[in-house]
Structures are given as C-alpha cells and as structure tokens.
Amino acid sequence: MTSAYLVWLLFIAAYDFRQRRVPNWLVLAGAFLALAALALGTGPIERDWAASMLGAGLGFGFLLLFYAFGVMGAGDVKFAGALGLWVGVPALLPVWIIGTLLASLHAALWLILQRWPVSPRLSLVLFGPPSATDGPAPSRVRFIPYAAYLALAAAVWMVWGRQGS
C-alpha cells in the first residue's frame, strides 16, 4: 500500500499544481485506500484506528477554520482529512509544518515576482496562466497549491520516517 499512497500523493500534487484544485474523486479514492490499508495493516506509516480517525478529524477540522475565513480552498481541507487517515496524528504536525513552509516560500516568491517580474515563464509555471478579464472576476485567487505542498511534505515525511526504522 505504500506505493498506492505515494501514487495518490503524486496525483494530488500534480493536479493541484496544474489546476489549482483537488477533485473530490481523488480525495475519496485516497480516503478509501487509507481505510483499506488501515484494515489490512499495510499502511506506509504504522498507526492504529484511533490515531487515523483523530488525524482525519484534526486535518479536516483545523483547515476548515481557514476555509471559513476564505483563505483556503475546500479541496485543501478535504485532502487534509484524507491525509490524516493515512498518517495519523503523530505525523500530521510535521507534515503541516513542512507543507506550510513550502507554501510560504511559494507565496514569498509570488510576492517578489509581482514586484520585480524577472521571468514570465517562471511566473506561468508557479502561478498558472493569468485569468481572463472577459468574465466576472473570481471571488478569490488561488495561487498557492497548498494540497500539493502537503502531499510533497507527506511523501518526504514518509521517507524520513522509514529511514529511522
């Protein structure tokens, strides 16, 4: 199940980097795989049912606060809940810290490139194509793919966690 976990994280990261959204079917697939791994005892990180369920609740509930204030997308929140099922409570905090640091670097780079545009191609890769001005303006601009950074952080944490065992 470790390979399924890594493939799921890869899909989440790729989708969020390219589309700036996380589809429900992908979150549900990851949650289903996490529950199957938990039932079979084959997850990438050792944890029990209680730690996984608490991780899912904390992941979802904590990021739900940010969604309520309009600073995070719903896909990020749902992904954090599914991720909590995979990693449980013990790994959730380090994954959040690593993911948030990566997202903060992204935001800082965005601010720098907004002020001093060095490379339009780099801006396109990091922040996506500029939105069309024909239609109504979106209610909020999502330029930081937070779920992608959480997915990368979870993959890094899994690799580092396995080196110690």
Side-chain angles (χ1 to χ4, degrees):
M1 282 290 193
T2 300
S3 58
Y5 171 70
L6 288 174
V7 168
W8 178 64
L9 292 175
L10 176 67
F11 273 104
I12 291 285
Y15 208 102
D16 199 24
F17 274 128
R18 291 184 56 79
Q19 303 291 322
R20 296 299 193 266
R21 58 185 293 283
V22 179
N24 289 335
W25 66 267
L26 196 50
V27 172
L28 289 173
F32 176 76
L33 286 171
L35 291 173
L38 191 59
L40 298 172
T42 59
I45 298 173
E46 289 184 32
R47 78 261 184 263
D48 60 5
W49 280 94
S52 291
M53 293 301 158
L54 188 56
L58 284 174
F60 183 84
F62 184 69
L63 293 188
L64 187 61
L65 294 172
F66 291 95
Y67 174 76
F69 288 110
V71 295
M72 187 165 292
D76 299 329
V77 176
K78 293 179 274 188
F79 170 69
L83 182 63
L85 279 174
W86 277 104
V87 301
V89 174
L92 201 53
L93 183 61
V95 167
W96 267 339
I97 291 171
I98 295 167
T100 301
L101 288 173
L102 292 171
S104 298
L105 289 173
H106 185 121
L109 187 57
W110 180 79
L111 289 171
I112 290 168
L113 289 176
Q114 288 293 317
R115 187 149 212 187
W116 301 289
V118 177
S119 170
R121 180 170 281 186
L122 179 60
S123 294
L124 184 64
V125 168
L126 288 174
F127 314 117
S131 59
T133 56
D134 298 340
S139 59
R140 7 174 210 204
V141 177
R142 299 201 201 293
F143 61 91
I144 298 178
Y146 190 64
Y149 289 121
L150 284 179
L152 292 175
V156 166
W157 180 255
M158 189 195 81
V159 170
W160 280 347
R162 287 190 163 265
Q163 286 180 356
S165 32

